[in-house]
Amino acid sequence: MTVSAARVMNESFTVAADGSYAARLTAHAGTELWYPERWTLDGPEPYAVPLPVAQPEDADSGVLPLSDGRVLIARRTQGRYSLALLYPSGQETGERRLGAVETDALRLLPPAPCGTRAYALAREPDGSATGVWLVTDGSARPPTRLARLHGRWSGGAWLDREGRMLALDTAGPDGVGPTRTVAVDLGADGEISPLLEIAEGSDDRLLLADPDSGLLLVRSDAPGEPRLGWGVLGSHRPVRFPEALHPRGTRLTPIAVQPGQTLLPERCAVALRVDGPQGTWLAVWRPGLREVRHLASPAGWLAGHGLWTADGELRVPCSTVHTPCGLARMRAPLPDPEAPRAAPAPPPPSAPAAPPAPADRSSTGAPAAPDGEPPRTAPRPPERPEHTAPPVGDVTSLQHHDHGGLPSGLLGSLVGRRVSAGSTAPFGALEDAARKPVPLQQAPLPSGTA
């Protein structure tokens, strides 16, 4: 297999919203005659079903699995992309044609949380605008444009379980200027609300979002250089850039967040892709922890892909010559976030006790611990690979080195949630969705701390 063929098979891999299926392009051994392949992931063992049609597919075709097992495919032809749903039909592949989108550049967005709809970004022929398209709702309806956005747009992350609020990145209508992340309301004709504005002139991108907990993973150069950070939708807390997510000589990219942790972002495990001089491998982390745990990647890992279960099992797809469809399952060694220890209750009054007997030093050579306290031992630093940097601090201030404004955070008007650095609501509280965000630099902050 050539490097380019392996790249196509890896980059085309997409997992359905509920983790039940996956799809990718693959080819017969020794050829580059491409065809879609569906993986079933929710059984005792994963297995693959080929979905070839009469003609081979192009290597740049997009595939996306729905939760019912059908696979959407977007095929590029002259000046348009044709779309169809593929599914097994006996020994053959069934195909339901959906229509076409007139564009020379179409990209399928990540699977919608509902699992039955699929969306895409399509650039207009003159490049002046980008359309957000509903390419299928599971029926035979043709693709429908939901919003027209001026300029070029990238990214794509779902902010709610209904699949209404979509986060996109933009550098402005003319493509010149700092990159910002905004929320696009697909239920209101594409109404746009600011979502991520960390510092004046900074490039801010949303990499991953978890609708259950509100956890957001971002990359921004607001701290002075591009760094990975995290924040929470609906919280008054600013974005944080832990030193643990900024190891020297490596680049971390979030690939999956543990679902099901409703309003508990600190308990969400995050899977990371680590790229460094030694290669590419897996790591896991959780907000509130001061270190990243590095893992040995399984053989044939489809780098950059993985999924969590709600109970904390990390599932990693892999493909080798002997096991072309594999799913490694592992429990990430992540402790719970540290909680402050409560002071012990004072003992009840009692009669004076006899003085304690002298401690026996013969066995340990150390003084005995006082009554009611565990023996004290010297702290041991966590073992970590040589290629990681030691933790310097948990939170880096968001104040840009060239910007004298206050530290910043997340903002946006979302369905049932509002992100605001100046909110007085308790952590995770829901606010009026009709309230509009203000630019982050102008939001009143109670202090300059994270």
Side-chain angles (χ1 to χ4, degrees):
M1 181 187 301
T2 65
V3 174
S4 60
R7 183 180 297 112
V8 170
M9 296 170 70
N10 182 45
E11 293 181 352
S12 64
F13 189 87
T14 306
V15 181
D18 62 355
S20 56
Y21 294 97
R24 69 170 181 171
L25 292 175
T26 189
H28 296 290
T31 75
E32 292 193 10
L33 301 177
W34 299 102
Y35 63 89
E37 178 181 70
R38 188 193 72 185
W39 289 25
T40 299
L41 303 178
D42 58 354
E45 295 292 336
Y47 63 91
V49 175
L51 296 173
V53 293
Q55 296 292 328
E57 309 289 354
D58 292 332
D60 59 356
S61 297
V63 292
L64 185 147
L66 302 182
S67 296
D68 61 8
R70 292 179 295 175
V71 174
L72 173 71
I73 185 166
R75 303 180 176 111
R76 185 178 62 159
T77 57
Q78 285 189 341
R80 57 165 38 187
Y81 274 75
S82 60
L83 299 120
L85 289 172
L86 306 178
Y87 52 92
S89 180
Q91 299 297 319
E92 306 295 331
T93 299
E95 180 173 1
R96 173 177 286 181
R97 297 179 183 270
L98 301 174
V101 175
E102 301 290 336
T103 181
D104 58 356
L106 180 143
R107 179 174 62 87
L108 296 176
L109 289 169
C114 65
T116 59
R117 300 191 301 269
Y119 298 82
L121 293 181
R123 190 177 63 202
E124 292 189 355
D126 61 0
S128 63
T130 300
V132 181
W133 288 75
L134 172 64
V135 292
T136 184
D137 60 359
S139 69
R141 295 178 182 176
T144 304
R145 190 178 73 182
L146 302 179
R148 184 177 184 270
L149 310 174
H150 292 286
R152 297 192 177 189
W153 297 69
S154 60
W158 296 102
L159 301 175
D160 62 337
R161 280 291 170 194
E162 291 73 28
R164 173 173 172 171
M165 302 302 298
L166 174 66
L168 294 174
D169 301 329
T170 181
D174 54 0
V176 179
T179 300
R180 300 296 193 196
T181 300
V182 303
V184 181
D185 188 346
L186 299 182
D189 299 323
E191 180 183 355
I192 294 175
S193 299
L195 178 66
L196 190 61
E197 295 180 2
I198 295 181
E200 184 178 356
S202 63
D203 286 319
D204 311 320
R205 299 177 184 272
L206 177 61
L207 303 182
L208 209 58
D210 176 54
D212 294 332
S213 63
L215 178 65
L216 303 183
L217 282 303
V218 307
R219 195 181 303 279
S220 173
D221 61 3
E225 59 182 326
R227 297 185 63 160
L228 186 63
W230 68 280
V232 181
L233 281 173
S235 171
H236 66 280
R237 300 180 181 180
V239 181
R240 302 183 180 190
F241 293 91
E243 287 295 327
L245 298 182
H246 189 59
R248 292 190 298 265
T250 60
R251 180 180 176 87
L252 304 183
T253 304
I255 61 175
V257 178
Q258 180 183 358
Q261 310 302 305
T262 305
L263 297 180
L264 294 173
E266 289 88 352
R267 299 191 62 84
C268 287
V270 179
L272 302 163
R273 169 178 172 159
V274 186
D275 292 285
Q278 296 85 5
T280 300
W281 63 94
L282 272 168
V284 291
W285 170 81
R286 178 182 287 144
L289 297 184
R290 295 177 179 266
E291 63 176 359
V292 170
R293 301 293 179 90
H294 296 262
L295 306 177
S297 304
W301 175 41
L302 299 180
H305 301 288
L307 61 151
W308 291 95
T309 63
D311 64 352
E313 182 181 71
L314 178 60
R315 300 180 177 181
V316 181
C318 45
S319 179
T320 64
V321 174
H322 301 292
T323 309
C325 175
L327 192 67
R329 304 168 189 260
M330 58 187 74
R331 291 284 175 178
L334 285 175
D336 290 332
E338 296 181 2
R341 297 179 61 182
S350 59
D360 181 7
R361 301 170 182 258
S362 60
S363 57
T364 62
D371 276 350
E373 293 186 12
R376 296 180 180 180
T377 58
R380 297 172 56 188
E383 298 180 1
R384 57 176 64 246
E386 294 180 358
H387 51 261
T388 60
V392 178
D394 184 41
V395 177
T396 298
S397 171
L398 293 188
Q399 184 169 337
H400 196 285
H401 295 315
D402 299 324
H403 176 58
L406 292 169
S408 37
L410 302 170
L411 52 124
S413 176
L414 306 172
V415 176
R417 292 180 176 219
R418 178 176 176 269
V419 184
S420 171
S423 172
T424 57
F427 176 77
L430 303 183
E431 297 191 26
D432 183 6
R435 295 176 63 184
K436 297 300 179 182
V438 295
L440 196 58
Q441 304 89 294
Q442 301 173 16
L445 286 175
S447 68
T449 63

